[in-house]
Amino acid sequence: MNESQRARRPGGRSARVGAQVHQAVTDLISERGYGNFTVGDVAARAGVADSSIYRRWGSLETLLTDVALTRLNTQSPMPDTGSLAGDLRTYAANVAREITGPDGPAVLHLAVALSSNGQQGLRAGDDLRAERIRQLQSMLDRAHERGEPAPDALDVLDHILAPMYIRVLFGMELTPDYVDGLVDRML
């Protein structure tokens, strides 16, 4: 196997190292909070060399942005239930489960901290928002194709996701009834 084939192999060493580094960041955010650890701390926790992190991500801020984007976006796949109401309910329930899980609050705190940290932070916030909107738009486009009226992606972000994020950030309960109520009001 040549080097280019090895680099593209899903689930190989690179994927394992990436997952270890992401988990190390999430654990450190949970334990110490944003801004209270270094690349060296992440590397030690993940069991990799600092140089591996710098080579792959370039900086701590880039790594933190990657962790936030990955955790917030790839763990909430866009459902396709056949109706917008079903899609929104399933999606909202998945997001609620994700952000109230063991790493959820840490990842939300990371996203907030990143987005308020200078120019790179503003770009990170823009990237997070753009990816969420892109994902939501795919669900809304399917609804339009089925002939269903669909809200704007920003409205879904404002009326469903934002209230859930705020509740988790402030340590408030996020019940299934509350999440369903957000979807009902949106529709």
Side-chain angles (χ1 to χ4, degrees):
M1 176 181 299
N2 69 34
E3 189 62 34
S4 66
Q5 289 171 318
R6 189 175 301 115
R8 286 180 285 176
R9 188 182 69 209
R13 183 179 185 285
S14 179
R16 249 188 342 274
V17 167
Q20 289 170 288
V21 169
H22 276 220
Q23 190 59 53
V25 167
T26 304
D27 293 346
L28 288 165
I29 291 283
S30 293
E31 294 168 15
R32 301 182 190 178
Y34 177 79
N36 296 316
F37 57 89
T38 65
V39 167
D41 295 328
V42 174
R45 178 69 62 99
V48 301
D50 297 20
S51 59
S52 294
I53 293 175
Y54 284 115
R55 187 171 36 257
R56 186 167 183 172
W57 287 280
S59 71
L60 182 59
E61 291 300 314
T62 302
L63 169 60
L64 296 175
T65 301
D66 184 49
V67 169
L69 279 168
T70 300
R71 294 288 174 108
L72 289 175
N73 292 323
T74 61
Q75 293 183 2
S76 298
M78 288 296 115
D80 189 359
T81 66
S83 73
L84 180 59
D87 290 351
L88 285 172
R89 283 185 207 299
T90 302
Y91 180 69
N94 289 343
V95 170
R97 199 170 21 263
E98 170 194 324
I99 64 176
T100 59
D103 297 336
V107 173
L108 283 180
H109 284 282
L110 172 59
V112 170
L114 277 171
S115 65
S116 61
N117 189 21
Q119 282 298 84
Q120 189 168 1
L122 291 174
R123 278 192 305 279
D126 289 346
D127 290 348
L128 289 166
R129 196 170 35 263
E131 181 59 21
R132 270 297 198 217
I133 288 171
R134 185 195 63 73
Q135 289 179 334
L136 290 168
Q137 194 60 55
S138 68
M139 179 192 324
L140 301 172
D141 289 346
R142 279 196 314 270
H144 281 297
E145 290 167 9
R146 290 188 300 260
E148 294 180 86
D152 181 73
L154 278 175
D155 287 338
V156 176
L157 189 69
D158 288 342
H159 298 284
I160 296 176
L161 296 180
M164 292 194 306
Y165 292 170
I166 292 296
R167 278 186 165 245
V168 169
L169 287 169
F170 288 104
M172 298 168 68
E173 189 175 10
L174 197 57
T175 66
D177 287 341
Y178 176 79
V179 172
D180 281 345
L182 292 173
V183 174
D184 289 342
R185 286 187 291 282
M186 175 82 249
L187 294 174

